[in-house]
Amino acid sequence: LARSVRMNNLIVKLVTQEQKERLAEKKADPLVSQRRFYRKNVDIGCRYRPLGAQSKFHLVGRIKDISLRGLRLVVKGGNTDDVSHAKGDFFLVTAVLPNQQPLELEAEVKSVENGEMAGELLLGMSISEISPKAKKSLGFFLMP
């Protein structure tokens, strides 16, 4: 009986110690424990067009990373000849995720940087509108 009581006390002590450690981690960074989705580095081919342009018109780019709130799009310099790619521009982006789910969303350009290759642009984009179905499939793709 004494041995059983001693083991019980040890288990309680270990459990409370673990709970204290989790609480300390949560206080240090409260968003870490609540995070359900992550930004993923990917290399997905996509098509995009300015919002309001005809559906037959499209430009080609590559999504390099994506999250539920935004994405980084790499575009060739030739795409910028006829279409503005400045901060504040809105685009309709369509792609197929690696889990074979279609993705269509509207995104606003938040940053424009030069890419690794000459004439290449990196567009930091914030997702402004996404359908519930596309958001759900993107969420499943982004889960750890």
Side-chain angles (χ1 to χ4, degrees):
L1 182 63
R3 183 176 178 200
S4 179
V5 169
R6 192 172 56 234
M7 297 245 330
N8 245 358
N9 289 337
L10 183 60
I11 290 173
V12 168
K13 182 180 175 183
L14 289 174
V15 168
T16 55
Q17 182 180 0
E18 185 178 332
Q19 288 174 345
K20 286 179 185 177
E21 289 173 1
R22 284 185 187 168
L23 186 60
E25 286 177 13
K26 194 173 186 179
K27 284 182 181 178
D29 192 0
L31 297 178
V32 169
S33 61
Q34 296 175 3
R35 180 177 255 179
R36 295 183 334 177
F37 303 99
Y38 297 88
R39 177 169 291 274
K40 278 196 177 177
N41 291 324
V42 293
D43 190 11
I44 303 171
C46 71
R47 292 181 173 194
Y48 70 101
R49 63 182 165 90
L51 220 54
Q54 294 180 359
S55 60
K56 293 179 182 179
F57 176 77
H58 69 270
L59 300 165
V60 178
R62 299 207 64 77
I63 299 173
K64 288 299 186 176
D65 64 47
I66 191 165
S67 73
L68 277 178
R69 298 195 180 265
L71 56 105
R72 178 152 312 260
L73 187 65
V74 177
V75 299
K76 302 229 184 251
N79 291 356
T80 62
D81 293 343
D82 299 327
V83 178
S84 170
H85 286 70
K87 284 183 183 179
D89 289 342
F90 285 85
F91 292 95
L92 180 69
V93 180
T94 58
V96 177
L97 295 171
N99 61 1
Q100 304 306 314
Q101 295 296 314
L103 178 67
E104 184 173 287
L105 55 90
E106 292 177 12
E108 178 184 4
V109 177
K110 293 293 186 176
S111 68
V112 180
E113 301 170 11
N114 289 328
E116 295 174 5
M117 307 281 270
E120 199 175 63
L121 289 179
L122 295 172
L123 303 178
M125 305 179 89
S126 173
I127 296 174
S128 58
E129 192 165 321
I130 185 169
S131 72
K133 183 178 179 182
K135 187 173 184 174
K136 184 177 178 179
S137 64
L138 179 59
F140 276 116
F141 170 69
L142 292 174
M143 288 178 107

